[in-house]
Short mmCIF file of all heavy atoms in Angstrom, two decimals:
data_model
loop_
_atom_site.label_atom_id
_atom_site.label_comp_id
_atom_site.label_asym_id
_atom_site.label_seq_id
_atom_site.Cartn_x
_atom_site.Cartn_y
_atom_site.Cartn_z
N LYS A 1 20.22 4.33 -11.26
CA LYS A 1 21.33 4.42 -10.32
C LYS A 1 22.05 3.07 -10.24
O LYS A 1 21.45 2.03 -10.45
CB LYS A 1 20.83 4.84 -8.94
CG LYS A 1 20.19 6.22 -8.98
CD LYS A 1 20.08 6.84 -7.63
CE LYS A 1 19.59 8.26 -7.68
NZ LYS A 1 18.53 8.58 -8.60
N SER A 2 23.32 3.11 -9.91
CA SER A 2 24.09 1.87 -9.74
C SER A 2 23.71 1.21 -8.41
O SER A 2 23.12 1.85 -7.53
CB SER A 2 25.59 2.17 -9.76
OG SER A 2 25.95 2.89 -8.58
N ASN A 3 24.09 -0.05 -8.26
CA ASN A 3 23.83 -0.75 -7.00
C ASN A 3 24.53 -0.05 -5.84
O ASN A 3 23.99 0.00 -4.73
CB ASN A 3 24.27 -2.21 -7.08
CG ASN A 3 23.28 -3.04 -7.88
OD1 ASN A 3 22.11 -2.69 -8.00
ND2 ASN A 3 23.75 -4.15 -8.41
N SER A 4 25.72 0.48 -6.09
CA SER A 4 26.45 1.20 -5.03
C SER A 4 25.69 2.44 -4.61
O SER A 4 25.58 2.76 -3.41
CB SER A 4 27.84 1.60 -5.51
OG SER A 4 28.62 0.46 -5.74
N GLU A 5 25.15 3.18 -5.57
CA GLU A 5 24.38 4.38 -5.25
C GLU A 5 23.10 4.02 -4.49
O GLU A 5 22.73 4.70 -3.52
CB GLU A 5 24.03 5.15 -6.52
CG GLU A 5 25.24 5.79 -7.19
CD GLU A 5 24.92 6.34 -8.57
OE1 GLU A 5 24.17 5.70 -9.34
OE2 GLU A 5 25.44 7.44 -8.88
N ILE A 6 22.45 2.96 -4.92
CA ILE A 6 21.22 2.51 -4.25
C ILE A 6 21.54 2.09 -2.82
O ILE A 6 20.81 2.43 -1.88
CB ILE A 6 20.54 1.37 -5.02
CG1 ILE A 6 20.06 1.88 -6.38
CG2 ILE A 6 19.38 0.78 -4.23
CD1 ILE A 6 19.63 0.78 -7.34
N SER A 7 22.63 1.38 -2.64
CA SER A 7 23.03 0.95 -1.29
C SER A 7 23.30 2.15 -0.39
O SER A 7 22.91 2.18 0.79
CB SER A 7 24.27 0.07 -1.34
OG SER A 7 23.98 -1.14 -1.97
N LEU A 8 23.99 3.14 -0.93
CA LEU A 8 24.27 4.34 -0.15
C LEU A 8 22.98 5.05 0.24
O LEU A 8 22.80 5.46 1.39
CB LEU A 8 25.19 5.29 -0.92
CG LEU A 8 25.54 6.60 -0.23
CD1 LEU A 8 26.25 6.35 1.10
CD2 LEU A 8 26.39 7.47 -1.14
N LEU A 9 22.07 5.19 -0.71
CA LEU A 9 20.78 5.82 -0.41
C LEU A 9 20.02 5.03 0.65
O LEU A 9 19.40 5.61 1.56
CB LEU A 9 19.94 5.96 -1.67
CG LEU A 9 20.41 7.02 -2.67
CD1 LEU A 9 19.67 6.87 -3.99
CD2 LEU A 9 20.20 8.41 -2.08
N ALA A 10 20.10 3.70 0.57
CA ALA A 10 19.40 2.86 1.54
C ALA A 10 19.92 3.10 2.96
O ALA A 10 19.12 3.25 3.90
CB ALA A 10 19.54 1.38 1.17
N VAL A 11 21.23 3.15 3.12
CA VAL A 11 21.76 3.36 4.48
C VAL A 11 21.48 4.78 4.96
O VAL A 11 21.25 4.99 6.16
CB VAL A 11 23.27 3.01 4.60
CG1 VAL A 11 23.50 1.54 4.31
CG2 VAL A 11 24.13 3.87 3.73
N ILE A 12 21.47 5.74 4.06
CA ILE A 12 21.14 7.12 4.44
C ILE A 12 19.70 7.19 4.94
O ILE A 12 19.42 7.77 5.99
CB ILE A 12 21.38 8.10 3.27
CG1 ILE A 12 22.89 8.26 3.03
CG2 ILE A 12 20.71 9.45 3.54
CD1 ILE A 12 23.23 9.00 1.75
N PHE A 13 18.77 6.59 4.18
CA PHE A 13 17.37 6.64 4.59
C PHE A 13 17.11 5.80 5.84
O PHE A 13 16.25 6.16 6.67
CB PHE A 13 16.44 6.21 3.44
CG PHE A 13 16.31 7.27 2.38
CD1 PHE A 13 16.70 7.02 1.07
CD2 PHE A 13 15.80 8.53 2.68
CE1 PHE A 13 16.58 8.00 0.09
CE2 PHE A 13 15.68 9.52 1.70
CZ PHE A 13 16.07 9.24 0.40
N THR A 14 17.87 4.72 6.01
CA THR A 14 17.75 3.93 7.24
C THR A 14 18.20 4.76 8.43
O THR A 14 17.53 4.80 9.47
CB THR A 14 18.58 2.64 7.15
OG1 THR A 14 18.05 1.84 6.09
CG2 THR A 14 18.54 1.85 8.44
N GLN A 15 19.32 5.45 8.30
CA GLN A 15 19.81 6.30 9.38
C GLN A 15 18.81 7.42 9.67
O GLN A 15 18.56 7.75 10.83
CB GLN A 15 21.18 6.88 9.08
CG GLN A 15 21.71 7.72 10.23
CD GLN A 15 23.09 8.30 9.96
OE1 GLN A 15 23.73 7.96 8.97
NE2 GLN A 15 23.54 9.17 10.83
N LEU A 16 18.25 8.00 8.61
CA LEU A 16 17.25 9.05 8.78
C LEU A 16 16.07 8.52 9.59
O LEU A 16 15.62 9.17 10.56
CB LEU A 16 16.78 9.57 7.42
CG LEU A 16 15.64 10.58 7.42
CD1 LEU A 16 16.06 11.87 8.12
CD2 LEU A 16 15.19 10.87 6.00
N GLY A 17 15.57 7.35 9.22
CA GLY A 17 14.44 6.76 9.95
C GLY A 17 14.78 6.47 11.40
O GLY A 17 13.98 6.73 12.31
N ASP A 18 15.97 5.91 11.62
CA ASP A 18 16.40 5.62 12.99
C ASP A 18 16.55 6.90 13.81
O ASP A 18 16.17 6.94 14.98
CB ASP A 18 17.71 4.84 12.99
CG ASP A 18 17.56 3.42 12.47
OD1 ASP A 18 16.42 2.93 12.37
OD2 ASP A 18 18.60 2.79 12.18
N SER A 19 17.09 7.93 13.20
CA SER A 19 17.25 9.21 13.91
C SER A 19 15.90 9.81 14.25
O SER A 19 15.70 10.33 15.36
CB SER A 19 18.06 10.19 13.06
OG SER A 19 19.38 9.72 12.90
N LEU A 20 14.95 9.75 13.32
CA LEU A 20 13.61 10.25 13.61
C LEU A 20 12.95 9.45 14.73
O LEU A 20 12.28 10.03 15.61
CB LEU A 20 12.75 10.21 12.34
CG LEU A 20 13.11 11.24 11.28
CD1 LEU A 20 12.35 10.95 9.98
CD2 LEU A 20 12.84 12.65 11.75
N ALA A 21 13.13 8.13 14.72
CA ALA A 21 12.57 7.30 15.79
C ALA A 21 13.19 7.64 17.14
O ALA A 21 12.49 7.69 18.16
CB ALA A 21 12.78 5.82 15.47
N THR A 22 14.49 7.91 17.15
CA THR A 22 15.17 8.29 18.39
C THR A 22 14.64 9.62 18.90
O THR A 22 14.37 9.78 20.10
CB THR A 22 16.69 8.39 18.16
OG1 THR A 22 17.18 7.12 17.73
CG2 THR A 22 17.42 8.82 19.42
N ILE A 23 14.47 10.58 18.01
CA ILE A 23 13.93 11.89 18.40
C ILE A 23 12.52 11.74 18.96
O ILE A 23 12.19 12.31 20.00
CB ILE A 23 13.96 12.87 17.20
CG1 ILE A 23 15.41 13.21 16.84
CG2 ILE A 23 13.15 14.13 17.51
CD1 ILE A 23 15.57 13.90 15.50
N ALA A 24 11.68 10.97 18.28
CA ALA A 24 10.30 10.79 18.73
C ALA A 24 10.25 10.11 20.10
O ALA A 24 9.50 10.54 20.98
CB ALA A 24 9.51 9.97 17.71
N ALA A 25 11.07 9.07 20.29
CA ALA A 25 11.09 8.37 21.58
C ALA A 25 11.61 9.28 22.68
O ALA A 25 11.06 9.30 23.80
CB ALA A 25 11.95 7.12 21.47
N THR A 26 12.64 10.05 22.40
CA THR A 26 13.20 10.97 23.39
C THR A 26 12.18 12.04 23.76
O THR A 26 11.99 12.35 24.94
CB THR A 26 14.48 11.63 22.85
OG1 THR A 26 15.43 10.60 22.52
CG2 THR A 26 15.10 12.57 23.87
N ASN A 27 11.51 12.59 22.76
CA ASN A 27 10.48 13.59 23.03
C ASN A 27 9.36 13.00 23.88
O ASN A 27 8.86 13.65 24.79
CB ASN A 27 9.90 14.15 21.73
CG ASN A 27 10.85 15.07 21.02
OD1 ASN A 27 11.81 15.56 21.60
ND2 ASN A 27 10.61 15.31 19.74
N GLU A 28 8.98 11.77 23.57
CA GLU A 28 7.90 11.12 24.32
C GLU A 28 8.30 10.94 25.78
O GLU A 28 7.54 11.25 26.68
CB GLU A 28 7.58 9.76 23.70
CG GLU A 28 6.57 8.97 24.46
CD GLU A 28 5.24 8.90 23.77
OE1 GLU A 28 5.15 9.32 22.60
OE2 GLU A 28 4.30 8.41 24.40
N ILE A 29 9.51 10.47 26.01
CA ILE A 29 9.98 10.24 27.37
C ILE A 29 10.14 11.57 28.11
O ILE A 29 9.67 11.72 29.24
CB ILE A 29 11.30 9.45 27.37
CG1 ILE A 29 11.04 8.02 26.90
CG2 ILE A 29 11.96 9.46 28.75
CD1 ILE A 29 12.30 7.24 26.57
N CYS A 30 10.78 12.53 27.47
CA CYS A 30 11.00 13.83 28.12
C CYS A 30 9.69 14.55 28.39
O CYS A 30 9.51 15.10 29.48
CB CYS A 30 11.90 14.71 27.26
SG CYS A 30 13.60 14.12 27.22
N CYS A 31 8.80 14.56 27.43
CA CYS A 31 7.51 15.23 27.62
C CYS A 31 6.70 14.54 28.70
O CYS A 31 6.08 15.20 29.53
CB CYS A 31 6.72 15.27 26.32
SG CYS A 31 7.46 16.36 25.09
N THR A 32 6.73 13.22 28.74
CA THR A 32 5.99 12.48 29.75
C THR A 32 6.56 12.78 31.13
O THR A 32 5.82 13.02 32.07
CB THR A 32 6.06 10.96 29.46
OG1 THR A 32 5.51 10.73 28.17
CG2 THR A 32 5.30 10.16 30.49
N GLN A 33 7.89 12.80 31.25
CA GLN A 33 8.51 13.11 32.53
C GLN A 33 8.20 14.54 32.97
O GLN A 33 7.89 14.78 34.13
CB GLN A 33 10.03 12.90 32.46
CG GLN A 33 10.41 11.43 32.42
CD GLN A 33 11.92 11.23 32.29
OE1 GLN A 33 12.65 12.17 32.02
NE2 GLN A 33 12.35 9.99 32.46
N LYS A 34 8.27 15.49 32.05
CA LYS A 34 7.96 16.88 32.38
C LYS A 34 6.51 17.02 32.80
O LYS A 34 6.20 17.74 33.75
CB LYS A 34 8.25 17.80 31.19
CG LYS A 34 9.72 18.04 30.96
CD LYS A 34 9.95 18.93 29.75
CE LYS A 34 11.43 19.05 29.44
NZ LYS A 34 11.67 19.80 28.21
N ASP A 35 5.60 16.33 32.08
CA ASP A 35 4.19 16.38 32.44
C ASP A 35 3.97 15.82 33.84
O ASP A 35 3.22 16.38 34.63
CB ASP A 35 3.33 15.61 31.43
CG ASP A 35 3.25 16.30 30.08
OD1 ASP A 35 3.56 17.51 30.01
OD2 ASP A 35 2.89 15.62 29.10
N MET A 36 4.65 14.70 34.15
CA MET A 36 4.52 14.09 35.47
C MET A 36 5.07 15.02 36.55
O MET A 36 4.46 15.19 37.60
CB MET A 36 5.23 12.74 35.51
CG MET A 36 4.51 11.66 34.71
SD MET A 36 5.42 10.09 34.58
CE MET A 36 5.84 9.72 36.25
#
């Protein structure tokens, strides 16, 4: 792959990871609040 393609893949996977982290944190907070 070209450097441009690699860069695009990198930002896509970074966003994917950040989105998953946001979902996990939100679930943790919401579930904890609901449990409380």
Side-chain angles (χ1 to χ4, degrees):
K1 298 198 174 40
S2 69
N3 284 336
S4 295
E5 291 170 320
I6 295 168
S7 293
L8 179 60
L9 288 169
V11 297
I12 289 169
F13 285 119
T14 298
Q15 182 179 352
L16 174 64
D18 290 346
S19 294
L20 289 170
T22 300
I23 292 166
T26 302
N27 287 343
E28 176 108 9
I29 291 168
C30 290
C31 291
T32 301
Q33 287 178 349
K34 286 179 186 174
D35 290 342
M36 289 173 51

